Amino acid sequence: MDRVRRLEVVQRESVLVNFVYCHPVGHAVEALQYCLGYRSANPQRRIAVVLNSATAVDLASWCDAIDEVYTVDIDVFEPPTADILAHIPREWDWVVDDPRGHQKWQHDFFPGLQRYYELAAEHFRTTGGHTQVGAPKPSYQPRNPLRLDLEAPARSWAAERLPQHAAPTIAVLPGGSAQRWRYPSLASWQRILGAVTDRWPAARVCFTGKLADDGRTSTGFTRAEFDALAGSVPNAVWALDVPLDRQLAAMQRCDLLLSPHSGFAFAALAVGTPWLTLAGNDWAEYYFNPGVPFYSVLPDLDRFPCYVVLGNTPDPVDDGPRSPTMSAERIDADLPELIEGAAWLLSTDADFDDAMRDHAARLHKLFGGRTELMYSVDDLLTSYLR
C-alpha cells in the first residue's frame, strides 16, 4: 500500500513556484499566497516553492498548500554561483517564476537576481512550461484566504503571555527593516500611543519586532526606544525578539496590528489579525488577505511625497532627520484618522469587502485615477473599483 501511495504522489501534476527575490518577510507571504492559488485551482497538485534562504522560510511550513520547500543562498546584488540550484530537482510539469526576476529595472538594481533567473531557465526542465506568475497556464484560482496553521507550543506560549483581556489588545510594530530615519521618531510614537490610550484607557499594547541582527530582516529600533515606548502606556506586554511562530501567535491574540508598511504585517494578516497602517515611504500596500479587514492611513502626496520607484527616495525633512511620510508634521496631520481607523477595526462593523472598496477608492483618488499604479497581489485592488 505504501508503494501505491508513493506512485500516486509521483504522478500528480507538479508546480514549482520559483519565488526568489529580496529577503523581507512579506515576499515569503506573497509566495505562499501564489502557492495557495495554484493549489486551489487543482487540489491534487504537488506544490513546491523556492525561496531566498534569508527570508522567513518557516512560514511555508505553516501553510498546508505547500508540499515541498527549497531554499537558495543568494545575494541579489551579486551574481550567484553556477551550482546555486544543484540541490533542487530539475524535472517539473510547471515552473512558475516571480515576474520581478524578469524585469529590467529590477535587474538594474539587483544583478544577482537577473543571473539567478538565467540559471533557473537553464536548470529546470518542464513538460508543461516554464512561465511566470500571472500567465494563463498553469491554472490558477485567485483571491483565496491565506491562514497560517501555527503549532501548539507557540499558541500556548502566546496564550500565557496574552491571556483574555476585556479591553482591546493592540500590537505595535514601530518600524520595519529599513534605516531608522524612515520610521517615526520616539516622540511621534509616544504621541500616537498617547492618543490610543486616551481613547481606550484600558488597552493592552503588545510590542513586537526583532532586534537581533542575524542576516534576516530586523526592526530598526533600539531596545532603549522600545523600553521608552512601553513606559508611555499603562499596560504593556512583550512579543519582542522571540521566534517568528511566537510573534505570530501573539499577533493572533491581538485585535489589530498598528505599524508602518512592513512585510511582517503581511504575515500578521495571514494569522487573521487586522492591520492599521501608517502608510508611506516606498510602497503603497499591495497585499490584502481576503476576510481580514484593514485600514491604511494614506499620506497627502503633495505635502509628504512618497511611493516613488527605487532610487528616487524623497529627501528627509528636518525632524531627526525623518522620511517625509513618517515626520512629526505628517503624524500630527493624520493622527485623528489613525485613531478613527483603529476604532473602525475594533468595532463590529469592520468588514474586508468594505475595507477594500474604501481603500481602492481613496487610493484611486490619491493616484489621480492611474490604475496602473495600483498594483496588488491577485489584482484585488482594481477589482474593487468595478
Side-chain angles (χ1 to χ4, degrees):
M1 182 62 72
D2 286 345
R3 185 169 182 271
V4 172
R5 289 196 185 113
R6 285 197 297 272
L7 288 172
E8 287 174 350
V9 170
V10 169
Q11 290 168 359
R12 288 189 295 165
E13 181 183 55
S14 60
V15 177
L16 177 67
V17 180
N18 185 30
F19 214 79
V20 174
Y21 188 55
C22 302
H23 67 295
V25 173
H27 300 312
V29 178
E30 292 174 58
L32 269 55
Q33 188 71 51
Y34 289 126
C35 288
L36 179 58
Y38 289 113
R39 166 75 80 205
S40 298
N42 181 352
Q44 302 307 312
R45 281 175 171 151
R46 168 187 159 214
I47 304 292
V49 66
V50 189
L51 296 170
N52 184 332
S53 63
T55 194
V57 175
D58 290 348
L59 294 173
S61 66
W62 307 320
C63 177
D64 60 10
I66 298 174
D67 298 304
E68 301 164 31
V69 183
Y70 301 96
T71 65
V72 292
D73 296 325
I74 183 171
D75 178 347
V76 295
F77 297 103
E78 297 291 337
T81 59
D83 62 351
I84 189 170
L85 288 158
H87 62 293
I88 301 178
R90 288 178 178 270
E91 307 287 343
W92 300 87
D93 291 315
W94 298 92
V95 173
V96 186
D97 289 347
D98 180 345
R100 289 172 293 207
H102 298 272
Q103 295 170 347
K104 185 181 184 306
W105 73 272
Q106 297 273 0
H107 296 169
D108 292 341
F109 280 94
F110 308 125
L113 197 69
Q114 177 181 7
R115 183 58 183 150
Y116 169 79
Y117 281 97
E118 290 171 350
L119 291 168
E122 298 170 6
H123 177 78
F124 293 118
R125 294 193 289 264
T126 65
T127 59
H130 189 154
T131 183
Q132 300 176 31
V133 168
K137 293 183 178 181
S139 60
Y140 181 84
Q141 178 178 306
R143 306 173 192 183
N144 303 283
L146 175 64
R147 298 291 184 271
L148 299 179
D149 185 15
L150 301 174
E151 295 176 354
R155 289 186 280 107
S156 296
W157 176 89
E160 184 176 341
R161 182 62 56 99
L162 292 163
Q164 291 294 326
H165 187 65
T169 297
I170 298 174
V172 172
L173 176 68
S177 58
Q179 303 96 321
R180 177 65 184 85
W181 65 271
R182 305 200 71 196
Y183 302 108
S185 67
L186 174 60
S188 287
W189 267 115
Q190 289 172 325
R191 177 159 163 68
I192 291 169
L193 295 182
V196 168
T197 53
D198 283 347
R199 182 70 173 264
W200 297 280
R204 179 171 59 183
V205 178
C206 177
F207 292 100
T208 190
K210 180 173 148 228
L211 301 177
D213 185 4
D214 59 2
R216 298 190 174 189
T217 54
S218 58
T219 308
F221 273 63
T222 66
R223 180 65 201 223
E225 287 181 300
F226 270 105
D227 288 340
L229 287 176
S232 70
V233 298
N235 191 350
V237 292
W238 296 96
L240 178 69
D241 259 357
V242 297
L244 182 58
D245 59 345
R246 291 188 173 190
Q247 289 191 56
L248 291 175
M251 289 302 96
Q252 205 164 39
R253 299 183 66 84
C254 293
D255 297 295
L256 64 85
L257 169 65
L258 166 59
S259 80
H261 184 97
S262 167
F264 177 81
F266 294 14
L269 291 172
V271 295
T273 304
W275 182 19
L276 175 61
T277 318
L278 182 65
N281 285 330
D282 293 334
W283 317 112
E285 282 56 66
Y286 63 88
Y287 178 70
F288 312 98
N289 193 4
V292 185
F294 66 94
Y295 189 87
S296 181
V297 180
L298 300 173
D300 180 331
L301 296 185
D302 292 328
R303 294 179 63 189
F304 311 110
C306 63
Y307 300 157
V308 294
V309 297
L310 289 172
N312 294 297
T313 301
D315 291 334
V317 296
D318 189 15
D319 175 26
R322 196 72 51 206
S323 162
T325 54
M326 299 292 127
S327 65
E329 184 180 0
R330 188 279 168 99
I331 302 300
D332 288 344
D334 286 343
L335 187 53
E337 183 183 353
L338 191 75
I339 298 302
E340 289 310 308
W344 181 74
L345 288 173
L346 293 171
S347 75
T348 57
D349 296 329
D351 173 81
F352 176 76
D353 288 323
D354 288 345
M356 286 298 299
R357 280 188 288 269
D358 173 70
H359 183 68
R362 289 187 294 118
L363 196 63
H364 189 257
K365 181 179 179 181
L366 189 76
F367 287 158
R370 295 183 61 190
T371 55
E372 73 275 12
L373 299 178
M374 296 176 62
Y375 166 77
S376 62
V377 171
D378 283 351
D379 195 28
L380 274 178
L381 262 180
T382 55
S383 71
Y384 279 86
L385 293 173
R386 299 166 193 159

